[in-house]
Amino acid sequence: MKFFIVTRGKAITILSCVIIAVFTLAISVNTATVAVQTMAEKRKIPIYCVEKGDDEKVVSISFDAAWGNEQTNELIDILDKYNVKTTFFVVGDWVDKYPESVKAIYDAGHEVCNHSDSHPHLTEKSQEQIRQEISKCNDKIEKITGVKPILFRPPYGDYDNKVVSTAEELGMYCIQWDVDSLDWKDPTPDQMKERVLSKVKNGSIVLFHNGAANTPKTLPMVLEGLLSQGYSIVPISELIHKDTYTTDNNGMQLKPGIE
């Protein structure tokens, strides 16, 4: 039988090596875990605008309808005067209150799309609650128009991976905007016109609301400005790419095949 004598110095050396090895292993495991989590949690970004060529002068105008309804018919009349078709994102509760306006929007040739059922902060909801918010609103819109929406705009523009993924699982495109009129802050019509026309570009999505005080006065000036600059104005479903796509870090939907 052989005996190994470990001196105090050797014991300290061995213990130090063991500690270093364990520490190194822990760092490696932690780094690998973080790397896997980072890959798994790659940030999903909605469509804020769409990549277009220099000669593709096309934009979309959108309206969010969540509360009041005093100006909806006036907006429809203005759009009809200029023969422009747009996209209205409506809340399910708004649909319940104003079904005749939903039908009027659709009958005028505009898209009626999903802005959730009750306008909550969806990032604070579970995936099932998000699914219910989107599905209930879709059902209400489809019942009136006969068309199931394919576009969804999160309330408050508030989103995370869970919100975007849930919308995608329901076969919907998650839509934001890159030009905000800020009409809800009640700037003057001239201020709104200048803001929109100075920021718009090929592939832009412009945000208005159906209940802001100065939007009806501003809309004709914006439409005339865009049309005089050679822009075509189309509903968002005609602006976006429907094939497999990616968005860059700014939310620009890239043309299919471009990473």
Side-chain angles (χ1 to χ4, degrees):
M1 181 179 292
K2 295 182 179 180
F3 295 91
F4 295 92
I5 300 174
V6 179
T7 64
R8 185 169 179 271
K10 289 182 178 180
I12 293 175
T13 301
I14 293 171
L15 181 60
S16 298
C17 290
V18 170
I19 292 173
I20 292 172
V22 171
F23 184 70
T24 301
L25 178 61
I27 291 176
S28 299
V29 170
N30 185 61
T31 301
T33 301
V34 170
V36 170
Q37 289 176 338
T38 300
M39 291 178 63
E41 297 173 2
K42 182 179 179 181
R43 187 173 178 230
K44 285 181 171 289
I45 303 178
I47 299 169
Y48 282 76
C49 60
V50 181
E51 181 184 33
K52 298 291 181 182
D54 292 340
D55 59 341
E56 297 179 280
K57 292 184 71 66
V58 58
V59 299
S60 289
I61 290 177
S62 63
F63 298 88
D64 286 358
W67 293 284
N69 192 41
E70 296 80 7
Q71 299 171 347
T72 304
N73 287 337
E74 186 177 1
L75 294 173
I76 293 173
D77 289 343
I78 293 169
L79 294 168
D80 185 60
K81 177 182 176 181
Y82 291 90
N83 193 30
V84 166
K85 307 305 178 186
T86 63
T87 303
F88 283 74
F89 289 94
V90 300
V91 171
D93 288 345
W94 192 86
V95 176
D96 292 336
K97 293 178 181 178
Y98 310 110
E100 71 288 346
S101 290
V102 175
K103 189 173 188 310
I105 292 168
Y106 177 75
D107 287 347
H110 305 288
E111 290 184 322
V112 183
C113 294
N114 192 315
H115 197 32
S116 81
D117 192 50
S118 63
H119 208 269
H121 284 281
L122 291 179
T123 54
E124 300 172 1
K125 303 296 183 180
S126 69
Q127 187 170 19
E128 180 56 31
Q129 289 172 320
I130 296 169
R131 186 178 292 108
Q132 288 296 317
E133 281 284 333
I134 297 174
S135 296
K136 286 181 180 179
C137 184
N138 271 353
D139 291 344
K140 292 176 181 180
I141 293 171
E142 186 174 12
K143 184 176 180 180
I144 294 173
T145 66
V147 178
K148 183 177 181 179
I150 63 169
L151 307 180
F152 168 68
R153 174 170 284 167
Y156 309 102
D158 187 18
Y159 71 92
D160 57 15
N161 281 11
K162 183 173 55 178
V163 173
V164 179
S165 295
T166 304
E168 290 175 345
E169 288 170 8
L170 291 171
M172 306 190 75
Y173 299 87
C174 197
I175 305 294
Q176 298 280 69
W177 60 88
D178 67 322
V179 180
D180 189 347
S181 68
L182 296 180
D183 55 354
W184 57 277
K185 289 187 174 182
D186 292 338
T188 67
D190 283 335
Q191 288 173 330
M192 270 198 281
K193 170 194 170 186
E194 175 61 27
R195 178 178 178 82
V196 172
L197 295 182
S198 67
K199 293 181 177 296
V200 76
K201 63 181 184 294
N202 295 0
S204 281
I205 297 173
V206 183
L207 171 65
F208 286 103
H209 294 80
N210 76 316
N214 290 326
T215 298
K217 295 179 181 178
T218 305
L219 186 58
M221 296 191 294
V222 169
L223 295 178
E224 290 172 9
L226 291 173
L227 294 172
S228 69
Q229 293 177 29
Y231 283 104
S232 296
I233 304 170
V234 301
I236 294 173
S237 67
E238 296 181 21
L239 181 77
I240 63 175
H241 306 300
K242 302 271 194 349
D243 298 325
T244 301
Y245 70 89
T246 56
T247 53
D248 65 16
N249 291 333
N250 295 316
M252 176 181 284
Q253 185 193 35
L254 304 178
K255 291 181 178 180
I258 299 178
E259 297 291 339

